[in-house]
Amino acid sequence: MAPVEEQLIDELKQAYQAHADETPWKEWGQWRWLWVVTSATVCVYLVGSRGRELIEQVLGEVFPGWLMTDGYQVYRTYQHRLRCWAHLLRKAQGLADSANLTDAQPFGCQVLALLHELMHAVYQAREGPGADLASTYAARLAEFKTLCEQYRDSPHEKTRALAREFLNDWEAMWVVLKYPWLPLTNNEAERA
């Protein structure tokens, strides 16, 4: 199988866009990680550790295409990375539904409002003539970044974690505003 595997990995490395994900996987009574990297034509699975080595085994240290991922930090080394908004929406909804009225609920509601507003704008941009959403929403994002900085040291753990997640992946979060045809979610890898 090695020649076929090498051929699939070579094809994946040349893809315009790929989706990656990892999930716990029990093998021989021990917990490992099942990784998936998928493109329009190829889907590769690997089982092993959760370290950077496995993803680099498939994509190399530099992947020239767009890579859609969740917030796991090993993906941050890839320059053309996109962040899954479904993950962010789920976390924001959890905060919005929280009983913590000082930090969690207000921050969660503001994140949800912004993401829904931007999703609507992206979907509209996909249907019409090219819109410069990055410029249109620059002031709104600057305000939101200030809000994230305000909550980055929140005493509420999940509020603090989401604020830091936005700040750590800032560019990857909003690249879709510049290129609205790119995906908003990592559903391709999640389903695989």
Side-chain angles (χ1 to χ4, degrees):
M1 290 299 296
V4 174
E5 183 179 314
E6 287 175 22
Q7 180 183 353
L8 293 173
I9 288 174
D10 284 345
E11 188 175 328
L12 193 54
K13 286 179 179 178
Q14 297 173 37
Y16 172 75
Q17 178 181 306
H19 296 254
D21 195 33
E22 73 295 327
T23 192
W25 180 268
K26 201 166 195 177
E27 186 176 84
W28 300 102
Q30 298 210 345
W31 284 105
R32 307 250 188 256
W33 290 88
L34 171 65
W35 292 74
V36 61
V37 183
T38 184
S39 71
T41 58
V42 176
C43 188
V44 174
Y45 297 93
L46 298 120
V47 176
S49 73
R50 196 170 187 220
R52 180 187 326 267
E53 306 80 35
L54 249 66
I55 193 69
E56 286 181 356
Q57 190 177 2
V58 176
L59 297 177
E61 290 183 23
V62 176
F63 177 65
W66 292 103
L67 180 62
M68 169 57 84
T69 71
D70 59 16
Y72 185 37
Q73 66 187 4
V74 301
Y75 300 120
R76 289 190 185 138
T77 59
Y78 292 100
Q79 183 178 3
H80 296 109
R81 192 165 67 92
L82 307 165
R83 270 304 310 278
C84 176
W85 286 19
H87 285 83
L88 301 169
L89 285 165
R90 185 176 64 242
K91 291 174 184 181
Q93 188 64 60
L95 293 178
D97 294 341
S98 171
N100 178 303
L101 301 176
T102 20
D103 285 359
Q105 203 176 78
F107 185 59
C109 289
Q110 290 183 46
V111 171
L112 284 174
L114 176 66
L115 290 176
H116 285 297
E117 178 184 347
L118 294 176
M119 284 172 56
H120 179 73
V122 167
Y123 291 138
Q124 281 191 319
R126 289 178 181 176
E127 291 178 13
D132 184 4
L133 299 178
S135 294
T136 303
Y137 288 94
R140 180 88 161 89
L141 289 177
E143 289 172 14
F144 182 65
K145 190 170 193 176
T146 300
L147 184 70
C148 290
E149 288 167 348
Q150 174 188 334
Y151 284 109
R152 80 177 313 146
D153 295 319
S154 167
H156 187 264
E157 180 184 351
K158 292 189 186 253
T159 301
R160 179 175 64 244
L162 186 57
R164 290 179 180 186
E165 188 171 345
F166 274 100
L167 294 170
N168 287 334
D169 280 342
W170 191 260
E171 296 302 321
M173 300 280 187
W174 312 122
V175 72
V176 73
L177 298 178
K178 188 172 182 181
Y179 308 108
W181 60 87
L182 291 171
L184 288 171
T185 71
N186 200 20
N187 288 345
E188 296 298 321
E190 298 281 341
R191 284 194 295 264

